[in-house]
Amino acid sequence: MAGASWVQQEVLAKNPGRDVRVYAVWFNVLPTDSRGRWDPDLLDDPRVTEFWDPAGTAGDYFAEHRDAMGLDFSGGVVVWDVSLLFGPDASWEAYPMPLEHFGYTVWAERRDLSRQLERLWADA
């Protein structure tokens, strides 16, 4: 959850006027993951939409499309703890594109995510 805390504190709280939408999908991957341990107030911003995905459908979907989307992910059969950044021109045909940033883990790639967000905001 370190990545989610960072997104809340460093992206959302420090940029209250920015046009950004965050979609957080939570599901069980690690033994400590469960809906009962999920803090629904962790991402406390009206620009965030959160989902609880008990079957891990979103992670399976992105794992299935990882090569086509260029997701450099070697974490197993399900994609999890990642950040995906799409710009204002992105659309969803077979899968969402163009991808501006992919990070695994959210925490490990937070600096690159920040740089890519700043670039998109500067171009807007």
Side-chain angles (χ1 to χ4, degrees), residues 29-74:
V29 176
L30 302 174
T32 56
D33 294 341
S34 72
R35 188 165 191 163
R37 295 181 62 137
W38 169 46
D39 179 1
D41 296 322
L42 183 63
L43 293 168
D44 186 23
D45 189 285
R47 297 168 292 175
V48 176
T49 302
E50 296 182 271
F51 302 93
W52 179 255
D53 179 10
T57 304
D60 292 340
Y61 174 86
F62 286 106
E64 179 182 331
H65 295 91
R66 79 173 93 201
D67 292 336
M69 291 182 67
L71 307 182
D72 183 19
F73 183 81
S74 58

Side-chain angles (χ1 to χ4, degrees), residues 20 83-87 98-102 113 116-117 119-120:
V20 63
S83 56
L84 301 157
L85 176 64
F86 301 95
L99 181 65
E100 302 289 339
H101 160 86
F102 170 77
L113 176 58
Q116 296 302 323
L117 277 166
R119 183 184 59 77
L120 283 173

Side-chain angles (χ1 to χ4, degrees), residues 6-7 13 15-17 20 30 34 37 52 55 62 64 72 75 77 79-81 89 92 102 111 121:
W6 176 83
V7 169
N15 296 284
V20 63
L30 302 174
S34 72
R37 295 181 62 137
W52 179 255
F62 286 106
E64 179 182 331
D72 183 19
V77 297
V79 173
W80 60 285
D81 196 3
D89 298 327
W92 194 307
F102 170 77
R111 288 180 186 89
W121 288 333

